[in-house]
Amino acid sequence: MTQVMSGAGHHVDASTLLLQASSVTMRFGGLTAVNNVSLDVHAGEIVGLIGPNGAGKTTFFNCLTGLYKPTSGEVRFAGELLPPKPRLVVRAGMARTFQNIRLFHNMTALENVMVGMYSRTKTNAIDAVFRLPRHRREELASTERARELLDFVGLSSAADMLSRNLPYGDQRRLEIARALATDPKLLLLDEPTAGMNPQETRQAEELIFKIRDLGLAVLVIEHDMRFIFNLCDRVCCLVRGEVLVEGVGEVVQNDPRVIEAYIGAPAEPPADVPPPTAEPPASEAGKGSADA
Amino acid sequence: MRVIISDETKVRFRYPARAVGIVGAVLMIVSIFLPWSYGSGALDDVGFYGAPSPLQFAFVVLPVLILLLLAIPLVGKQRLGQWAKTVAWNTSAKTASLATLATVLIGLAAIAIELKGLVNIDVGGFTALVGALLAAVATPFLPDSPEPTLARVKSPTWLQILGIVLMMAGVLFAAAFALNQTDAGAFLTFVAFLVGVVLVLRQLGVMAWIGIAGANNNRVLVLAAFATAFAFPFTQNGSDANMSIASQVLIFAAAALGLNIVVGLVGLLDLGYIAFLGAGAFTAAILSESAFSTLDFHPPFIVVVLISGTVASLLGLLIGAPTLRVSGDYLAIVTLAFGEIFRITMNNLDGNDGPNLTNGSNGIPGIPDLEFLGFNFGDAHVIFGVDIGRFANYYWLMLLVIALIIVVFMNLNYSRIGRGWVAIREDELAAEAMGVNTFALKLLAFAGGAFLAGVAGAVKAHHDVSVTPDQYVFLESAFLLAAVVLGGMGTVVGVLIGATILKLLPEKLRFFSDYRLLLFGLLMVVMMQFRPEGIVADERRQMEFHDEDEELAEEIEEELISHHAHLNPERRGFDL
Amino acid sequence: MLDLFFQQLINGLSLGALYALIAVGYTVVYGIVQLINFAHGEIFMVGAFGAFATWMLLGQPTDWGVSASLLILLPLMLLGGIVVSVTVALLTERFAYRPLRNAPRLAPLITAIGVSVFLQEFVRLFYGRIPGFPDAKSAIPFPSVAGISGEIVRIGSVTIQMPALFTIVALAISTLFLWFFVNRSKTGRAMVATSQDPDTARLMGINVDKVIVAAFAVGAGLAAIAGVAHGLNYGNIDFRMGFLAGLKAFTAAVLGGIGNINGAVVGGLVLGVVEAMATTFIPGQFGSSAWKDVWAFALLILVLVFRPQGLLGAKVVDRA
């Protein structure tokens, strides 16, 4: 596998602090969507971000990836302060997927992945116009790498299909391949299983573990509780733009405040809460609908 | 208005329909040996018995095709074997019949108008009309053929190359023949005939076959195309009038191809693009040896070309750097305003309202012909016994420029940069989030497109002899955009066709020159309603305009896959 | 110097009032369908020709008194212009723009360019074909209206041409009417609702088609008034007059914040004054009137770059 992820496959020191968001606050006019949220992600870790609809999860993501410039607070990546520009965030080593899939619909799967390689390639206009050796070399290498990545997410047979024609689950996987193509150290997934059936969800889970095995850290937003607690080393629960609890799966899972946030006032004592196999009803409603 | 004939009716009437169709085709073939008109003043004289005019000889291709398409299946399915399904016999015969009827009607209308009255149509004309009507009425009663599989027939390389060469020869012949029609009626009739032939060939699957052959023999195709274009002046017997039109078409096409990068690939609407052509032209004029040039610096042309391109691309940067951050619609208006600023400024730099650089509205006349390594572009000379005049020289120069532009266009398109451009067009935000430097790429497209236009402008200055501000009005920008839209955004062939149509038709159809702009406006509106992707559709563009059409999506994908199977990335684009 | 300033201020305001009347049309249509109706300048031109046609149909009266002219002739000409403009605008909406409502944004914009060229050429080629009408291939002298044409008012040393005053008054009355229409009428409020959120508006039972038609009609009506004002101010009308005026009016709409009706009015006035002042107070050769369009367009580019939401602000334009 290491030859697939050429950049990140080397030895991972789990204690390395990768992402360090401190006191991030995002206001839109009078509305505070994210309030004073701090979150750390270490190398090789899978961290989950949960919370009911409108809790500000996607907004927080956008702050991390440079789509929004936080009103206050700072985001550091591998110790460096991140500039609020998506393109520079990608260069720094952080890539994302979108909640409502945003592939380049009229490009083939292979081309989509190759676009992801943009920031890691150097061919300029002169190279391309005159087909200089650098262009040829990079073009061959990118094509090969893109095919490997498609293979990695299980889409090798779909390389020449237009991405708009792919089934829904494959589109999600293609988006992950495209993000991986940017050679990230940290992958941010925004509801990677939204709209998937149980089998597809299981495949997605396996894929994320596989990505972690390559040495990448993953930060994932999800509504599917079983999915998140199976997957994550640590979970952070956001409610109304603020961190409610953060910690290992079991702690968050059994925290009465989390259950209250999802179900409303506790109807039963927390000890009798059903095991995570039963999905909290709020997550049902949340699926598929837009999250601010 | 589509007449639907039920399948049962079609099965019942298939034999009489075929018979009537054959009779119609034979009648039309006979008709060319009869006089079509009484006078000699229409369609280049079609008034003789037994001596068909060149136009009639060309026309007879369609009825012969109909005859073959209808008669060959008579040998029976067994003997046809696989060919029964490879060729869409019946459907093609139907298309051919309708196209023939259209051609005959236009031809007869031309006779009636030019000789003033239907009475001038002679027996041949009526025979052709009756034949065409018979065929057009009968063939729709034939059962529909299945989709032709001709495109998928495996063929040896020599046959593919032969096909490409034959097609190019056909193109050359058709172009020469069309340009030599001085009479508007004859020209229109021939154009109708050409459109008919193209439609029939498409229906037969020949076009798709050629497409695959071309993809397989990419370099042969390109070489053949350029050889054809290069040979064109030899078909003109030194006619300067036609070569002047042809070289104008190429200048216009060069600018349109530059605009195609900006609009077709990146999706930025530029309504002031003519300003870049103008910037190149004015730069070249000022640096030329013209007595009216306002600068005392006259470098050789190769330097002038580079300076012209650079000035244009600097203007592109100047206007692009601040404005490329605004959204699409606004960019259109900003570029439009910029185009106006350019024109007004060129008008005002006359020594009166500003420093004298352009002589104001008089512009810079008397630009001498190009001198290149001792070769003067104004000199006519004889090659292979054919007179090659001044405009032919410029035509060849522009051919070189266009070749350069196409190489730049294709090589950029099939590179990291081209993929970035398409990604921006598809979803700018997602592109940025995937690490694509959207601003730099848009600026590159803007400046690069401007550079190409500037180069074309530099040649245009010498070609036109004089440069004045009123050549660079908004309407010209609209025409360039129309060439791109009409031909097919993002494609090279389409834009070349679009540019040819927009420049050639007004020159050949002088009688409607007064209605030219009216029809142009109408064409833009109608095109956007019914075929927004243009004559030659870029696969991706087509999808954008037909977002909900899943069937089309699959079809295009199939096409893409079949192309990809033949093309490895190495073989796309051109080596220099 | 101060007199010159006030004189130019008045000149600029009347010019700006003309721009403002046209700009409203760009702004309402853009606010609702996000379409830059490139052909709106031609709607203005058609309005002027419609008013002229009304005058022809009235038997080309030249000797009517002041009261008859002001009370009968002028209102009839305005009405004629409005009818023609609105009809043409609604036809283009129905047959050119409506089928493209869900198409990529390039399609309607290109259509608009086509419509613009078509309307210009249509007037140029066919206006003179109406029996008795003058040929429209070159400028046509606009009829004078007694009491306005050629009259002047003096305030101190500042001279105000009556046609200029007419334009300003027309703008004032139109703005008042617009205010009532938008804030008090059912259709007007539906327009505001649709411009803020078309989908919700549709769910709330608003007939969006009707609202779009209303937007085109209102814009066209005001453009027709501007057409008459143009004729009175400059003494002639021309099939080409819509292009530059339309571009300037669009600049005005952007200046005020496109989608914002009050902004269009303010933007028009500001643009007019800037133009008038630029030709007077920019020293040297660049202050000559030959450059005034350049300054106007430079202003457009500056505004778009530095304050794309316009002077008064509007809803967020970039919906990425």
Side-chain angles (χ1 to χ4, degrees):
Chain A
M1 236 2 118
T2 40
Q3 72 262 43
V4 173
M5 300 304 299
S6 50
H10 50 75
H11 170 71
V12 176
D13 182 2
S15 65
T16 329
L17 191 55
L18 217 46
L19 176 76
Q20 190 180 16
S22 30
S23 318
V24 172
T25 300
M26 184 76 216
R27 284 195 201 93
F28 298 102
L31 178 86
T32 307
V34 175
N35 191 11
N36 203 16
V37 173
S38 300
L39 182 73
D40 293 349
V41 179
H42 299 264
E45 201 178 20
I46 301 181
V47 178
L49 195 57
I50 61 170
N53 276 330
K57 302 183 298 290
T58 298
T59 307
F60 182 58
F61 249 44
N62 288 345
C63 289
L64 296 182
T65 52
L67 279 177
Y68 296 156
K69 189 178 187 301
T71 319
S72 66
E74 60 173 41
V75 182
R76 283 178 180 278
F77 190 78
E80 302 281 323
L81 203 58
L82 269 186
K85 270 212 159 65
R87 160 173 85 75
L88 300 178
V89 169
V90 170
R91 276 206 74 84
M94 204 153 90
R96 69 173 294 174
T97 64
F98 292 90
Q99 183 184 348
N100 42 351
I101 306 174
R102 293 186 82 150
L103 288 165
F104 308 116
H105 286 290
N106 298 313
M107 296 175 95
T108 64
L110 189 73
E111 287 170 327
N112 265 282
V113 179
M114 285 173 86
V115 169
M117 256 165 252
Y118 187 90
S119 62
R120 304 292 173 200
T121 42
K122 294 189 184 63
T123 306
N124 60 30
I126 305 285
D127 296 331
V129 167
F130 294 100
R131 311 230 124 197
L132 298 181
R134 174 155 70 174
H135 165 80
R136 290 160 179 278
R137 230 180 304 129
E138 269 193 4
E139 201 70 358
L140 277 180
S142 320
T143 316
E144 196 175 335
R145 173 97 198 282
R147 284 195 189 280
E148 282 170 6
L149 282 170
L150 284 177
D151 200 32
F152 179 73
V153 300
L155 287 177
S156 45
S157 58
D160 291 325
M161 277 174 76
L162 293 184
S163 67
R164 68 194 328 274
N165 288 353
L166 293 176
Y168 187 79
D170 287 358
Q171 292 198 8
R172 287 239 175 252
R173 283 190 285 167
L174 177 57
E175 237 197 349
I176 292 176
R178 185 178 70 175
L180 286 175
T182 66
D183 217 352
K185 296 189 186 72
L186 171 63
L187 190 64
L188 282 73
L189 304 175
D190 198 345
E191 297 198 25
T193 67
M196 282 186 172
N197 62 32
Q199 195 200 340
E200 285 171 327
T201 305
R202 225 171 8 257
Q203 284 173 352
E205 203 175 288
E206 279 162 26
L207 180 60
I208 294 173
F209 278 130
K210 238 165 87 182
I211 290 170
R212 196 256 299 272
D213 291 344
L214 296 172
L216 271 73
V218 180
L219 178 60
V220 51
I221 293 181
E222 239 329 317
H223 273 303
D224 187 332
M225 290 300 144
R226 179 157 57 165
F227 177 79
I228 214 98
F229 291 118
N230 270 349
L231 196 68
C232 298
D233 304 319
R234 255 178 334 119
V235 177
C236 170
C237 179
L238 278 189
V239 175
R240 282 185 289 279
E242 295 180 35
V243 180
L244 193 66
V245 214
E246 196 209 311
V248 291
E250 290 84 53
V251 174
V252 175
Q253 199 178 340
N254 297 320
D255 192 297
R257 288 170 301 172
V258 174
I259 295 150
E260 184 192 335
Y262 268 93
I263 308 176
E268 298 168 80
D272 296 333
V273 160
T277 40
E279 264 181 31
S283 72
E284 295 268 331
K287 265 193 210 170
S289 71
D291 182 22
Chain B
M1 204 195 72
R2 171 166 280 184
V3 185
I4 294 169
I5 300 164
S6 74
D7 288 343
E8 297 144 49
T9 326
K10 284 182 178 176
V11 171
R12 176 135 40 103
F13 285 108
R14 64 188 192 278
Y15 293 116
R18 193 174 294 276
V20 173
I22 290 177
V23 170
V26 171
L27 276 181
M28 282 191 278
I29 295 172
V30 170
S31 80
I32 71 160
F33 298 98
L34 302 170
W36 281 34
S37 70
Y38 282 108
S40 64
L43 297 189
D44 255 351
D45 199 354
V46 283
F48 291 106
Y49 277 95
S53 78
L55 187 64
Q56 285 171 314
F57 260 125
F59 163 77
V60 85
V61 169
L62 276 176
V64 168
L65 258 176
I66 300 175
L67 187 64
L68 291 176
L69 286 168
L70 290 177
I72 291 177
L74 287 178
V75 302
K77 263 197 179 142
Q78 282 73 31
R79 267 191 241 160
L80 273 179
Q82 57 151 345
W83 290 99
K85 282 194 178 149
T86 315
V87 178
W89 300 99
N90 292 349
T91 323
S92 304
K94 189 168 85 183
T95 311
S97 303
L98 293 175
T100 318
L101 180 63
T103 311
V104 170
L105 286 177
I106 289 178
L108 294 185
I111 293 175
I113 291 168
E114 283 171 20
L115 295 177
K116 310 224 163 25
L118 287 166
V119 290
N120 292 296
I121 299 171
D122 202 348
V123 51
F126 286 114
T127 315
L129 180 62
V130 170
L133 279 173
L134 285 179
V137 169
T139 44
F141 283 94
L142 292 169
D144 291 333
S145 344
E147 269 300 297
T149 54
L150 187 66
R152 282 178 223 145
V153 172
K154 290 239 172 356
S155 42
T157 311
W158 66 266
L159 192 62
Q160 292 185 346
I161 291 177
L162 186 70
I164 292 171
V165 171
L166 278 180
M167 184 188 72
M168 288 300 165
V171 168
L172 182 61
F173 171 77
F177 196 91
L179 264 181
N180 285 335
Q181 301 300 318
T182 44
D183 169 82
F187 177 76
L188 273 183
T189 312
F190 186 69
V191 168
F193 161 78
L194 272 188
V195 172
V197 169
V198 170
L199 287 179
V200 175
L201 289 183
R202 233 183 68 163
Q203 184 76 64
L204 278 170
V206 173
M207 288 304 195
W209 183 82
I210 291 266
I212 287 177
N216 281 336
N217 306 281
N218 206 346
R219 279 168 206 176
V220 176
L221 180 72
V222 173
L223 266 180
F226 269 95
T228 308
F230 181 80
F232 177 70
F234 292 105
T235 63
Q236 293 302 307
N237 296 321
S239 152
D240 249 6
N242 280 344
M243 284 322 295
S244 160
I245 297 175
S247 48
Q248 281 175 42
V249 167
L250 288 192
I251 291 172
F252 184 68
L257 281 172
L259 179 62
N260 194 22
I261 295 183
V262 180
V263 181
L265 291 186
V266 202
L268 304 169
L269 192 52
D270 187 337
L271 293 179
Y273 196 72
I274 197 74
F276 300 132
L277 192 76
F282 268 107
T283 308
I286 290 168
L287 297 179
S288 78
E289 306 265 2
S290 161
F292 298 91
S293 153
T294 49
L295 274 188
D296 201 19
F297 173 58
H298 309 294
F301 184 66
I302 188 81
V303 178
V304 171
V305 163
L306 291 178
I307 296 179
S308 300
T310 310
V311 167
S313 64
L314 283 180
L315 273 185
L317 289 180
L318 191 74
I319 186 68
T323 55
L324 281 173
R325 294 180 200 280
V326 305
S327 69
D329 292 357
Y330 278 15
L331 186 70
I333 300 295
V334 169
T335 51
L336 170 56
F338 167 71
E340 284 299 293
I341 291 180
F342 174 80
R343 185 182 59 82
I344 299 169
T345 306
M346 291 301 111
N347 239 325
N348 288 349
L349 294 179
D350 57 356
N352 196 13
D353 291 316
N356 188 16
L357 194 63
T358 62
N359 302 325
S361 56
N362 295 326
I364 298 174
I367 303 166
D369 276 306
L370 285 176
E371 283 266 355
F372 209 63
L373 301 173
F375 176 81
N376 188 305
F377 275 69
D379 291 345
H381 39 150
V382 179
I383 302 177
F384 302 130
V386 181
D387 285 335
I388 298 297
R390 171 176 187 271
F391 287 113
N393 294 332
Y394 282 101
Y395 171 88
W396 279 330
L397 179 63
M398 276 319 295
L399 208 56
L400 204 69
V401 173
I402 292 227
L404 181 88
I405 293 179
I406 292 177
V407 167
V408 171
F409 181 91
M410 298 299 269
N411 283 359
L412 283 179
N413 193 9
Y414 294 120
S415 76
R416 160 182 185 260
I417 292 167
R419 281 190 297 273
W421 280 340
V422 177
I424 291 174
R425 199 180 72 202
E426 296 261 318
D427 186 341
E428 188 167 342
L429 196 133
E432 180 83 22
M434 285 303 122
V436 176
N437 190 345
T438 53
F439 181 68
L441 275 188
K442 288 201 282 185
L443 206 55
L444 174 71
F446 226 64
F451 185 89
L452 299 177
V455 170
V459 180
K460 182 176 161 62
H462 290 270
H463 173 275
D464 291 357
V465 181
S466 94
V467 177
T468 53
D470 60 7
Q471 291 168 311
Y472 303 99
V473 293
F474 164 70
L475 208 56
E476 293 295 322
S477 290
F479 268 119
L480 281 175
L481 183 66
V484 174
V485 172
L486 178 73
M489 278 181 269
T491 67
V492 169
V493 178
V495 172
L496 289 176
I497 293 176
T500 311
I501 291 176
L502 281 177
K503 268 284 171 195
L504 184 64
L505 285 188
E507 292 288 342
K508 278 291 161 191
L509 305 176
R510 292 247 169 234
F511 67 91
F512 81 41
S513 63
D514 215 23
Y515 297 91
R516 186 171 76 111
L517 288 176
L518 187 80
L519 290 179
F520 164 77
L522 204 58
L523 183 72
M524 297 278 266
V525 176
V526 171
M527 201 77 187
M528 281 299 116
Q529 309 270 333
F530 298 107
R531 199 174 162 84
E533 65 271 30
I535 296 172
V536 179
D538 176 62
E539 291 101 348
R540 290 194 182 111
R541 273 285 179 186
Q542 197 166 16
M543 279 327 304
E544 281 166 38
F545 284 109
H546 301 274
D547 229 4
E548 272 103 60
D549 194 341
E550 291 304 324
E551 213 170 288
L552 183 67
E554 312 235 317
E555 219 171 88
I556 284 171
E557 183 179 290
E558 206 168 285
E559 219 163 276
L560 272 180
I561 290 176
S562 76
H563 276 234
H564 280 267
H566 300 288
L567 296 172
N568 57 51
E570 270 293 82
R571 279 170 62 187
R572 291 205 252 173
F574 305 102
D575 294 322
L576 282 176
Chain C
M1 193 66 189
L2 203 63
D3 285 345
L4 186 62
F5 174 80
F6 279 113
Q7 183 66 56
Q8 286 303 77
L9 185 68
I10 291 292
N11 292 351
L13 283 177
S14 80
L15 186 62
L18 198 68
Y19 293 155
L21 282 170
I22 311 173
V24 170
Y26 280 105
T27 257
V28 271
V29 169
Y30 191 91
I32 290 173
V33 277
Q34 272 75 52
L35 162 75
I36 295 179
N37 182 10
F38 198 82
H40 188 61
E42 272 56 53
I43 300 296
F44 152 77
M45 177 270 292
V46 163
F49 277 88
F52 183 85
T54 317
W55 178 74
M56 293 291 291
L57 292 177
L58 289 172
Q60 313 182 26
T62 47
D63 51 355
W64 288 18
V66 171
S67 47
S69 294
L70 289 185
L71 293 177
I72 301 172
L73 180 60
L74 188 61
L76 282 178
M77 282 170 68
L78 283 171
L79 191 68
I82 291 173
V83 167
V84 172
S85 279
V86 170
T87 311
V88 172
L90 296 191
L91 286 175
T92 58
E93 193 276 330
R94 177 66 190 81
F95 294 106
Y97 300 137
R98 193 179 297 182
L100 298 177
R101 211 167 283 160
N102 295 318
R105 302 181 74 163
L106 212 52
L109 201 57
I110 291 172
T111 301
I113 295 172
V115 170
S116 162
V117 174
F118 178 81
L119 288 178
Q120 278 188 32
E121 287 298 300
F122 194 80
V123 169
R124 182 178 77 90
L125 290 166
F126 298 116
Y127 199 69
R129 301 267 180 95
I130 306 171
F133 275 47
D135 191 60
K137 288 181 180 164
S138 50
I140 299 176
F142 201 72
S144 50
V145 173
I148 293 183
S149 304
E151 305 283 332
I152 51 170
V153 180
R154 274 180 207 284
I155 302 172
S157 60
V158 177
T159 319
I160 306 175
Q161 313 278 339
M162 270 307 267
L165 196 61
F166 165 78
T167 318
I168 297 172
V169 172
L171 175 68
I173 295 172
S174 305
T175 313
L176 215 62
F177 157 80
L178 257 182
W179 189 88
F180 271 101
F181 176 70
V182 169
N183 292 301
R184 292 284 179 269
S185 81
K186 207 172 147 190
T187 318
R189 274 182 302 199
M191 259 166 72
V192 176
T194 312
S195 78
Q196 278 168 3
D197 190 337
D199 293 330
T200 312
R202 185 171 281 128
L203 289 177
M204 293 296 131
I206 290 175
N207 181 344
V208 173
D209 274 345
K210 229 169 98 184
V211 166
I212 293 172
V213 164
F216 271 87
V218 168
L222 295 190
I225 296 174
V228 174
H230 178 101
L232 292 173
N233 271 294
Y234 298 98
N236 58 46
I237 54 175
D238 177 8
F239 73 93
R240 279 192 220 93
M241 69 194 227
F243 175 68
L244 202 58
L247 201 50
K248 292 282 187 59
F250 177 77
T251 306
V254 172
L255 205 58
I258 198 157
N260 180 334
I261 297 179
N262 300 331
V265 174
V266 174
L269 294 176
V270 168
L271 184 68
V273 171
V274 165
E275 250 185 51
M277 294 295 171
T279 53
T280 315
F281 294 103
I282 292 181
Q285 290 171 324
F286 289 103
S288 88
S289 65
W291 290 98
K292 71 176 166 53
D293 296 339
V294 171
W295 302 131
F297 296 142
L299 188 65
L300 167 71
I301 294 176
L302 288 178
V303 170
L304 278 182
V305 173
F306 293 109
R307 206 177 151 75
Q309 73 274 37
L311 296 179
L312 296 197
K315 54 185 181 159
V316 184
V317 172
D318 197 356
R319 304 190 150 190

